[in-house]
PDB file of all heavy atoms in Angstrom:
ATOM      1  N   LEU A  30     116.298  91.664 122.406  1.00 87.00           N
ATOM      2  CA  LEU A  30     115.748  92.550 123.435  1.00 87.00           C
ATOM      3  C   LEU A  30     115.863  91.913 124.820  1.00 87.00           C
ATOM      4  O   LEU A  30     116.212  92.586 125.792  1.00 87.00           O
ATOM      5  CB  LEU A  30     114.295  92.891 123.119  1.00 87.00           C
ATOM      6  CG  LEU A  30     114.090  93.860 121.962  1.00 87.00           C
ATOM      7  CD1 LEU A  30     112.602  93.944 121.605  1.00 87.00           C
ATOM      8  CD2 LEU A  30     114.635  95.232 122.293  1.00 87.00           C
ATOM      9  N   GLN A  38     121.244  94.542 133.385  1.00 68.00           N
ATOM     10  CA  GLN A  38     121.048  94.427 134.831  1.00 68.00           C
ATOM     11  C   GLN A  38     122.296  93.936 135.564  1.00 68.00           C
ATOM     12  O   GLN A  38     122.309  93.854 136.774  1.00 68.00           O
ATOM     13  CB  GLN A  38     119.880  93.482 135.133  1.00 68.00           C
ATOM     14  CG  GLN A  38     118.566  93.932 134.536  1.00 68.00           C
ATOM     15  CD  GLN A  38     118.165  95.332 134.956  1.00 68.00           C
ATOM     16  OE1 GLN A  38     118.097  95.643 136.133  1.00 68.00           O
ATOM     17  NE2 GLN A  38     117.901  96.185 133.986  1.00 68.00           N
ATOM     18  N   ASP A  77     108.602 110.064 140.726  1.00 86.00           N
ATOM     19  CA  ASP A  77     108.387 109.555 139.376  1.00 86.00           C
ATOM     20  C   ASP A  77     108.659 108.048 139.368  1.00 86.00           C
ATOM     21  O   ASP A  77     109.786 107.614 139.593  1.00 86.00           O
ATOM     22  CB  ASP A  77     109.337 110.279 138.414  1.00 86.00           C
ATOM     23  CG  ASP A  77     109.129 109.890 136.966  1.00 86.00           C
ATOM     24  OD1 ASP A  77     108.485 108.854 136.704  1.00 86.00           O
ATOM     25  OD2 ASP A  77     109.625 110.627 136.097  1.00 86.00           O
ATOM     26  N   VAL A  80     111.576 106.670 137.376  1.00 76.00           N
ATOM     27  CA  VAL A  80     112.905 106.913 137.931  1.00 76.00           C
ATOM     28  C   VAL A  80     113.149 105.996 139.130  1.00 76.00           C
ATOM     29  O   VAL A  80     114.231 105.482 139.325  1.00 76.00           O
ATOM     30  CB  VAL A  80     113.069 108.399 138.344  1.00 76.00           C
ATOM     31  CG1 VAL A  80     114.388 108.618 139.050  1.00 76.00           C
ATOM     32  CG2 VAL A  80     112.939 109.309 137.137  1.00 76.00           C
ATOM     33  N   ARG A  97     131.618 123.374 149.850  1.00 89.00           N
ATOM     34  CA  ARG A  97     130.944 123.136 148.576  1.00 89.00           C
ATOM     35  C   ARG A  97     131.761 122.162 147.739  1.00 89.00           C
ATOM     36  O   ARG A  97     132.983 122.214 147.741  1.00 89.00           O
ATOM     37  CB  ARG A  97     130.782 124.444 147.811  1.00 89.00           C
ATOM     38  CG  ARG A  97     129.802 125.369 148.453  1.00 89.00           C
ATOM     39  CD  ARG A  97     129.694 126.610 147.645  1.00 89.00           C
ATOM     40  NE  ARG A  97     128.587 127.400 148.128  1.00 89.00           N
ATOM     41  CZ  ARG A  97     128.003 128.332 147.430  1.00 89.00           C
ATOM     42  NH1 ARG A  97     128.427 128.626 146.227  1.00 89.00           N
ATOM     43  NH2 ARG A  97     126.988 129.007 147.932  1.00 89.00           N
ATOM     44  N   MET A 109     121.102 101.195 129.609  1.00 66.00           N
ATOM     45  CA  MET A 109     122.011 100.454 130.475  1.00 66.00           C
ATOM     46  C   MET A 109     121.654 100.812 131.911  1.00 66.00           C
ATOM     47  O   MET A 109     121.469 101.977 132.227  1.00 66.00           O
ATOM     48  CB  MET A 109     123.466 100.834 130.201  1.00 66.00           C
ATOM     49  CG  MET A 109     124.435 100.023 131.028  1.00 66.00           C
ATOM     50  SD  MET A 109     126.146 100.522 130.826  1.00 66.00           S
ATOM     51  CE  MET A 109     126.360 100.481 129.081  1.00 66.00           C
ATOM     52  N   GLU A 115     128.006 102.570 139.176  1.00 86.00           N
ATOM     53  CA  GLU A 115     128.163 102.852 140.600  1.00 86.00           C
ATOM     54  C   GLU A 115     129.612 102.840 141.088  1.00 86.00           C
ATOM     55  O   GLU A 115     130.009 103.732 141.829  1.00 86.00           O
ATOM     56  CB  GLU A 115     127.275 101.924 141.429  1.00 86.00           C
ATOM     57  CG  GLU A 115     125.809 102.280 141.258  1.00 86.00           C
ATOM     58  CD  GLU A 115     124.854 101.439 142.077  1.00 86.00           C
ATOM     59  OE1 GLU A 115     125.315 100.538 142.810  1.00 86.00           O
ATOM     60  OE2 GLU A 115     123.642 101.690 141.992  1.00 86.00           O
ATOM     61  N   CYS A 127     130.533 115.178 144.007  1.00 89.00           N
ATOM     62  CA  CYS A 127     129.242 114.542 144.290  1.00 89.00           C
ATOM     63  C   CYS A 127     128.676 114.014 142.975  1.00 89.00           C
ATOM     64  O   CYS A 127     128.748 114.666 141.938  1.00 89.00           O
ATOM     65  CB  CYS A 127     128.264 115.548 144.883  1.00 89.00           C
ATOM     66  SG  CYS A 127     128.822 116.273 146.438  1.00 89.00           S
TER      67      CYS A 127
END
Side-chain angles (χ1 to χ4, degrees):
L30 287 171
Q38 300 304 306
D77 184 344
V80 174
R97 291 180 170 200
M109 183 184 307
E115 290 182 0
C127 300

